[in-house]
Structure formats: C-alpha cells, structure tokens
C-alpha cells in the first residue's frame, strides 16, 4: 500500500461492499481492466496487485443511509486531500460522486435516473441526492460515462449534460462465473432484483397468476427483502392464492447466482426502467431464456435474444411466460440466441473503452 507519493489517476472504490449489487459489481469487475493506467485505488478492500490508498470502512449501501451519508461527507472533505496529496491529474469514480468545490478533475459513471423518472411519494435522501447532488457532479466532471444509450439520453434530459461530454459504455459479466453448467432445468421462473415499484413485481405476480394453473413451474423472487415494498407483494401473493407457488428467496450470494440461473426455466425481468439490467446479461450468459421489457436499456442488452414485452401489459407478460413454459423449441432457440448475444459483452471491452476516455484527460 502507499500512503504518499505521486499517482496521476485515482480510482474511487470507497463504495465496494461484501455483498455486491449492480454498482459494486461494476466497480469490482472494471478496475482490474484499467491496470495499464497504473491507478491508485481508494479502497477499504485492498488489492495486492495495485497501489492502494486505504479509506475508512463502513461507507457502503450495506450500512444503509448512514453508510451513504458517511461516504458523501468523506467525498467532500477527505477525498480532495488525497487527490492533492497524490498529485493526481484525474479522479475516476465508477459512481456519480466526486468533490464539488475542491479543484479535483473527475470522470464519473452514471448508471440511471430512476428516482427522477419514478419519484417517490415521500421526500427521501435518495430523491434529494438524485435531484441536486448528482447533476452537480455530472456538470462539474470533465467527462461522463453512461452505462447505456438510454442512460446517456437521461443524463442529457435530467442532468443537462451536453452529448459531447457523454460516452455510453455498456457493462459486462464475468464469463468465468456466469456460464452454462450443464444442470437440469427445474420448474421455476426466476426474478432477480429489488422490490421497488419500478421493478414491476405486482404485474409480474399478476401475470404468473394467469398461467399458474397451466404449468407446474413456480415463481422465485431473489432479492433482499425490505420493509417498504416486500410486504405489499407478499400480501398480493396471498390474496391470489399463490402462497405455495411464489418463493421469496431474499438476497442470493453472488457465488450462488449461476446455479440459480442455470436451473431456471427463464429469467423474467419486466422492469419499467433500467439503466442497464445486469441480470438479463448474466442470464443469457448462463444459457437461460430471458423475458424482459421492451423499453429503456433492456433492448440494448437483450437485442433479439429475448422475448421483449410491454411491461405495463400483464397479458403480454403472461403470454411470454406461457410460451417459455410450454414450448421446448422456443426455449431452445432463446437459449442459443442468449449465449450468442452474451458473447458481445466483456469486462475487457468495457475496460478498454474506459481507458480510451480516461487517457484523453490524463495526457
């Protein structure tokens, strides 16, 4: 580790956590592929292959709002000192957070504007963060990376960022982790993600109710249970008489996801909006048929390798689930198409394109 010295590029990894979700998966998989820039990693989880600057622990989503608040204070107060201490030319932050007033040149990645598209009924710290802090970070950055064309459009719409200052770079998947395992298919549809309303689980459950009597397959929901949104889904399941057919798995460790995906009849991911949609790509990489939405970034990820549905139409979601459950040929075609589509994405490609952006501002 190095606590002093010169580092042209600092990489802010203060948000990495033990149980990674989308943002931490992106940051953790990306940074090894920008090694050629000899960055200094700002991290509480040091990597022996890199020069690392230790930062305080407990600044992640795992600590809830306290973790976020601690990280934001650190970003505005301590991070600028590290930037100048290391005589850095550039800070790269894989999340849209950077010092606002300390003369730190930054490139940041923005992942979505979902709180702006689907504002909560109550004012929350996340809503204030998205409405006021993130746009200021993006406007002050020398360049913005977006994880999809859809997010780039939202950065222009909600953040006021000129198109010339945004580069869309798609995410990827770990091909050593997400791959076909040759396991037998088991009778369940799988959803992976949170329970927020924009994830569209109420319509997914309603669609499953339409086909439940026509298939032996159950519906498994994998994602951290929460006090705000999960109870409403559980109540809906009970009201529809599906308590024995819908399984709430809670958070599934990253190491277990490939097995869960490989055995599923299909991933059903009918979200109303996604910045990227990693579960869709990871499922395709496992050879698992995918049903997903025809809006936002999801067609960018799935291409023609998934059944695309209108997420607002329950009948359409149900019809797609019925096809996958009953048509072996369709399932086989989706499996082959998904595997081929997934080959177009890799963390090396994402890293190489990120290096191209960063090098412009390190020269």
């Amino acid at each position: 580790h190095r606590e002093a010295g010169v580092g042209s590029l600092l990489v802010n990894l203060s948000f990495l956590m033990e149980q990674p979700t989308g943002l931490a998966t992106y940051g953790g998989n990306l940074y090894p592929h920008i090694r050629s820039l000899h960055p200094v990693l700002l991290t509480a989880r040091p990597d022996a292959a890199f020069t690392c600057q230790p930062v305080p622990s407990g600044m992640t989503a795992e600590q809830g709002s306290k973790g976020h608040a601690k990280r934001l204070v650190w970003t505005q107060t301590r991070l600028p000192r590290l930037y100048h201490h290391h005589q850095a030319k550039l800070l790269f932050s894989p999340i849209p957070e950077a010092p606002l007033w300390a003369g730190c040149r930054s490139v940041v990645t923005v992942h979505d504007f979902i709180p702006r598209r689907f504002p909560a009924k109550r004012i929350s710290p996340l809503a204030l963060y998205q409405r006021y802090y993130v746009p200021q970070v993006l406007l002050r950055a020398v360049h913005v990376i977006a994880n999809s064309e859809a997010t780039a459009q939202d950065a222009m719409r909600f953040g006021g960022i000129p198109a010339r200052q945004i580069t869309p770079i798609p995410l990827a998947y770990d091909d050593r982790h997400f791959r076909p395992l040759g396991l037998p298919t088991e009778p369940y549809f799988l959803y992976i993600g949170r329970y927020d309303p924009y994830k569209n689980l109420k319509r997914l459950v309603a669609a499953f109710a339409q086909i439940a009597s026509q298939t032996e397959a159950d519906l498994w929901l994998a994602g951290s249970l929460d006090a705000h949104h999960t109870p409403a889904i559980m109540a809906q399941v009970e009201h529809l008489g599906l308590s024995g057919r819908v399984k709430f798995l809670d958070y599934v460790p990253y190491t277990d996801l490939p097995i869960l995906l490989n055995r599923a009849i299909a991933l059903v991911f009918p979200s109303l909006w996604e910045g990227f949609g990693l579960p869709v790509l990871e499922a395709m990489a496992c050879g698992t048929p995918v049903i997903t939405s025809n809006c936002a970034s999801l067609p960018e990820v799935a291409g023609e390798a998934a059944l695309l549905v209108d997420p607002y139409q329950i009948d359409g979601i149900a019809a797609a689930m019925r096809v996958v459950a009953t048509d072996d040929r369709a399932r086989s075609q989706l499996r082959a198409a998904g595997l081929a589509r997934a080959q177009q994405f890799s963390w090396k490609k994402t890293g190489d394109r990120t290096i191209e952006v960063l090098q412009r501002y390190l020269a």
Side-chain angles (χ1 to χ4, degrees), residues 41 85 95 196 260 274 320:
L41 307 184
H85 179 68
I95 56 176
D196 301 66
L260 196 65
E274 292 291 325

Side-chain angles (χ1 to χ4, degrees), residues 7 24 27 50 59 64 78 83 85 96 121 144 161 168 175 185 196 202 210 239 254 263 285 292 304 308 339-340:
F50 288 81
M59 300 196 298
R78 297 294 300 173
Y83 182 93
H85 179 68
K121 293 180 181 178
V144 173
I161 310 303
D175 59 3
T185 300
D196 301 66
K202 285 188 176 181
Q210 289 190 13
H239 175 74
Y254 184 76
R263 288 177 169 162
T292 192
E304 298 180 355
L308 299 180
L339 286 168

Side-chain angles (χ1 to χ4, degrees), residues 271-286:
S271 180
L272 301 180
W273 203 267
E274 292 291 325
F276 185 79
L278 271 175
V280 169
L281 179 56
E282 291 166 350
M284 292 191 301
C286 290

Side-chain angles (χ1 to χ4, degrees), residues 93-128:
S93 182
I95 56 176
E97 296 178 3
L100 293 178
W101 303 287
C104 302
R105 296 171 73 245
S106 64
V107 170
V108 300
T109 302
V110 62
H111 296 270
D112 65 64
F113 287 83
I114 285 167
R116 299 292 299 275
R117 282 191 165 274
F118 302 94
K121 293 180 181 178
R122 59 188 179 87
I123 296 177
S124 68
L126 179 60
L128 296 173

Side-chain angles (χ1 to χ4, degrees), residues 328-362:
D328 291 343
R329 182 179 178 186
R331 203 158 55 238
S332 178
Q333 289 174 340
L334 286 168
R335 182 178 296 112
L339 286 168
R341 176 69 177 175
Q343 295 302 309
Q344 299 180 31
F345 298 81
S346 75
W347 285 118
K348 184 181 185 306
K349 287 182 181 179
T350 303
D352 287 347
R353 293 187 62 188
T354 302
I355 286 173
E356 290 174 9
V357 171
L358 296 176
Q359 281 180 327
R360 283 187 238 161
Y361 300 98
L362 286 169

Side-chain angles (χ1 to χ4, degrees), residues 10-31:
L10 298 189
V11 179
N12 176 19
L13 299 177
S14 60
F15 61 97
L16 293 188
M17 52 191 185
E18 294 296 328
Q19 296 184 341
T21 53
L23 298 185
T25 297
Y26 166 66
N29 280 282
L30 176 64
Y31 81 79

Side-chain angles (χ1 to χ4, degrees), residues 2 4-12 34-42 51-53 79-80 82-93 103-107 142 357-363:
R2 178 170 68 184
V6 177
S8 292
L9 175 65
L10 298 189
V11 179
N12 176 19
I34 60 173
R35 183 176 300 167
S36 63
L37 297 180
H38 307 291
V40 175
L41 307 184
L42 306 179
T51 301
C52 296
Q53 167 70 57
L79 199 162
L82 295 175
Y83 182 93
H84 296 298
H85 179 68
H86 285 278
Q87 302 175 40
K89 290 183 179 179
L90 187 67
L91 169 71
F92 171 48
S93 182
C104 302
R105 296 171 73 245
S106 64
V107 170
V142 295
V357 171
L358 296 176
Q359 281 180 327
R360 283 187 238 161
Y361 300 98
L362 286 169

